[in-house]
Amino acid sequence: SSNNISELSSVENKKRTIRDKSNKDLSSIRKTIASQFEEKLIVSLKKLGIPNVRFKVIFEECEPTINGIDKVIFMFSANPGLPLAPLAEIASGGEKSRVLLAIKSIFSSFDQANLLIFDEIDSGVSGSVSSYVANLLHDLSHHQQVFCVTHQPLIAAFADNHFALKKRVIAGRTKSV
């Protein structure tokens, strides 16, 4: 009936107004936290051997979803003279791994993940950077189970358990044992 349609339309408009206000509030909170996050991440990434890092969180408004109205893009530059570009497009594998480690260490007490796996996250680093990586991994292990593939004794020294995998040729075939 037209009464029901009118009433339902009114309810829908009220719900949309509530949704839109909640989305704007959530977006505002995200932008405030993003600024603090950028600062912490840059400090950590410098300690992880990316001394000239620049990082910025960009927000683009999108159609409302269950996650709000923000499309979030991580902009990154590891080298002087290069502009910020989307992290996913410009960062090397090692840089992405270190960014992930830094992010996980910042949010470790809030993260619900039980297991983190890092494959040669220490690739291309040495000295004090290796020590910092080892300490971050160790700190993460207080909140989650951490598996880390490494060739560096300094990183391995922080582990509670060690597993060694070796390649062998058995009957003409290469096998991992």
Side-chain angles (χ1 to χ4, degrees):
S1 78
S2 62
N3 272 351
N4 274 351
I5 291 175
S6 178
E7 185 179 318
L8 289 173
S9 181
S10 175
V11 168
E12 178 187 13
N13 287 334
K14 287 178 186 174
K15 298 279 185 186
R16 284 181 186 269
T17 301
I18 291 168
R19 178 203 65 192
D20 292 345
K21 182 182 180 331
S22 295
N23 280 335
K24 288 197 184 304
D25 291 345
L26 177 60
S27 183
S28 177
I29 291 167
R30 282 179 173 153
K31 289 172 183 169
T32 300
I33 291 171
S35 176
Q36 298 164 8
F37 170 68
E38 289 169 359
E39 291 173 18
K40 287 181 180 182
L41 191 67
I42 288 169
V43 167
S44 187
L45 289 172
K46 285 182 178 188
K47 291 178 182 176
L48 285 169
I50 309 175
N52 299 305
V53 69
R54 289 181 297 132
F55 185 87
K56 182 83 180 146
V57 180
I58 302 293
F59 293 87
E60 293 179 359
E61 191 166 323
C62 63
E63 288 297 314
T65 69
I66 193 166
N67 296 316
I69 55 170
D70 296 316
K71 176 181 176 187
V72 178
I73 303 168
F74 289 168
M75 303 294 284
F76 176 82
S77 175
N79 301 302
L82 293 179
L84 288 169
L87 174 73
E89 296 172 12
I90 195 168
S92 69
E95 289 166 343
K96 287 176 185 175
S97 293
R98 285 184 259 171
V99 169
L100 176 62
L101 177 59
I103 290 171
K104 287 294 188 179
S105 69
I106 291 168
F107 292 112
S108 66
S109 60
F110 305 108
D111 198 347
Q112 298 298 313
N114 317 356
L115 174 66
L116 298 172
I117 301 172
F118 295 101
D119 185 10
E120 297 188 24
I121 197 161
D122 53 355
S123 177
V125 301
S126 60
S128 63
V129 175
S130 291
S131 180
Y132 188 72
V133 169
N135 281 302
L136 278 181
L137 290 169
H138 187 287
D139 291 347
L140 282 173
S141 74
H142 295 296
H143 303 284
Q144 290 102 358
Q145 185 168 6
V146 176
F147 281 85
C148 180
V149 175
T150 184
H151 298 279
Q152 293 196 21
L154 179 62
I155 303 287
F158 279 81
D160 294 326
N161 296 291
H162 298 94
F163 303 92
L165 297 175
K166 297 180 182 188
K167 290 183 182 178
R168 302 244 193 257
V169 178
I170 303 170
R173 299 197 65 169
T174 303
K175 302 222 179 205
S176 296
V177 292

